[in-house]
Amino acid sequence: MNAMPGMGGAARIVSIEGIARRFPGLTVFQDLWFHVDRGEFVCLVGHSGCGKTTILNILAGLDVPDEGGVLVDGREISGPSLDRAVIFQGHALMPWLSALENVAFAVSCRNPGWDKARVRDAARAALARVGLTQAAERKPAQLSGGMKQRVGIARALAVEPKLLLMDEPFSALDALTRGTLQEEVSRLVTEAGQTAFMITHDVDEAILLADRILLMTNGPEARVAEVVQNTLPRPRARANLHHMPGYHPLRDHIMDFLITRSRTLAGKPPEGWDSRRPPVVVPAEA
Ligand SMILES: Nc1ncnc2c1ncn2[C@@H]1O[C@H](COP(=O)(O)OP(=O)(O)O)[C@@H](O)[C@H]1O
Ligand SMILES: [Mg+2]
């Protein structure tokens, strides 16, 4: 779902305002600005080490920027919250709980007033949406990698977060499972009108899922060099993505960035650079 233009602040779920993160001898990034609007799916693409996980951890409230701030619904965040559910690269399930109990635990944290039956019903419904009804009573050790990631997806969506955060959630899976889960996430997020922010270095994954793709230069002092608008119509399917008009210019543009410009643009920004307004590109029209 695309964010509605002209809604200004009302549509803005997340504002990243001039954040910096530094470690001794290393500025991972500084003066970083971007936003995510309600119902939007934003992907962040960049090479290893440019600071993607650091950004996601800051959004999740698991890390704190050295400068700048993060606003969610106009309010500065302070620590983790179920408003911002994370799907991690590893599944991060509690091994002693069944799939159903893992989801139910999150639902009950989110809705402390709900009785047991209501929590279980909501957790069952969430598992059903990812096709895991039959596996509800199984422990993580009894589930395949793809099934564990599905439980993670069900758990994240079951708390109806304002913002769904994903850090390369499918990168540990085989190609077939990855493709299936990408399409499931696409469908679930679209159905729920869920606002999402995802990190990936899989270009086709970004093209399948995102409304906007933020391209980050290599670190240190990484920055969002460009914002790519993905105007490919929805629904999108992996199987026919490459037949869609506009797909190839879009893919070429991102690949060129990753192969060349992520490196040549790295380091000090050019004269007159405004980090609040990186260039917006629509490759399909270029
Ligand atoms: N706790 C830390 N202490 C020191 N350096 C760190 C720490 N966390 C991350 N870094 C460094 O910050 C940079 C960005 O890391 P990260 O956000 O994990 O990148 P990405 O997810 O894009 O691969 C890397 O150079 C990494 O080594
Ligand atoms: Mg990372």
Side-chain angles (χ1 to χ4, degrees):
M1 218 197 311
N2 283 303
M4 280 163 276
M7 283 185 67
R12 198 134 296 179
I13 295 257
V14 183
S15 293
I16 295 273
E17 308 206 326
I19 60 170
R21 187 73 179 101
R22 302 179 213 282
F23 298 109
L26 169 70
T27 295
V28 183
F29 49 77
Q30 59 189 355
D31 198 22
L32 184 74
W33 298 76
F34 67 86
H35 64 271
V36 184
D37 284 340
R38 197 176 303 278
E40 217 186 2
F41 200 121
V42 173
C43 275
L44 177 65
V45 172
H47 286 291
S48 227
C50 71
K52 302 182 300 295
T53 294
T54 305
I55 293 171
L56 191 121
N57 285 344
I58 289 172
L59 275 167
L62 300 169
D63 193 4
V64 183
D66 296 288
E67 286 164 24
V70 178
L71 305 182
V72 172
D73 260 350
R75 288 167 58 184
E76 189 95 27
I77 62 166
S78 58
S81 155
L82 288 170
D83 273 354
R84 285 162 275 126
V86 188
I87 302 175
F88 294 98
Q89 196 167 12
H91 54 83
L93 300 176
M94 289 175 267
W96 61 92
L97 298 181
S98 70
L100 183 69
E101 288 163 342
N102 264 284
V103 178
F105 181 74
V107 172
S108 65
C109 291
R110 176 66 153 179
N111 306 286
W114 288 12
D115 64 32
K116 243 179 153 163
R118 189 171 177 195
V119 168
R120 279 185 96 77
D121 285 349
R124 277 194 193 287
L127 283 177
R129 282 200 292 277
V130 297
L132 282 184
T133 299
Q134 304 304 322
E137 307 304 332
R138 289 201 225 161
K139 301 267 169 67
Q142 300 165 303
L143 300 169
S144 70
M147 290 164 99
K148 281 185 273 216
Q149 247 356 35
R150 278 203 171 90
V151 179
I153 294 166
R155 176 177 60 181
L157 290 173
V159 303
E160 299 179 354
K162 281 181 188 163
L163 178 66
L164 177 64
L165 296 168
M166 292 171 273
D167 188 356
E168 305 191 21
F170 313 126
S171 58
L173 302 172
D174 63 272
L176 201 64
T177 310
R178 187 186 316 144
T180 312
L181 282 190
Q182 285 167 349
E183 293 201 323
E184 273 182 31
V185 162
S186 173
R187 175 177 59 81
L188 291 165
V189 162
T190 308
E191 278 172 11
Q194 176 68 54
T195 309
F197 179 79
M198 176 189 231
I199 288 167
T200 179
H201 48 231
D202 178 335
V203 174
D204 276 330
E205 181 170 295
I207 294 176
L208 179 73
L209 295 169
D211 298 302
R212 283 190 300 135
I213 301 163
L214 312 180
L215 300 181
M216 260 192 115
T217 59
N218 294 354
E221 297 186 40
R223 65 181 197 280
V224 175
E226 276 178 25
V227 179
V228 175
Q229 294 276 7
N230 182 356
T231 55
L232 297 188
R234 293 180 192 271
R236 302 172 193 153
R238 276 175 60 88
N240 65 15
L241 208 54
H242 61 292
H243 292 307
M244 292 179 115
Y247 166 79
H248 289 285
L250 182 59
R251 185 168 207 284
D252 289 350
H253 186 89
I254 300 169
M255 289 306 293
D256 285 342
F257 181 87
L258 287 175
I259 293 166
T260 312
R261 281 177 296 136
S262 59
R263 180 170 40 84
T264 56
L265 296 176
K268 220 176 150 51
E271 196 71 21
W273 175 257
D274 182 354
S275 41
R276 295 187 187 214
R277 287 174 203 81
V280 177
V281 186
V282 187
E285 294 170 1

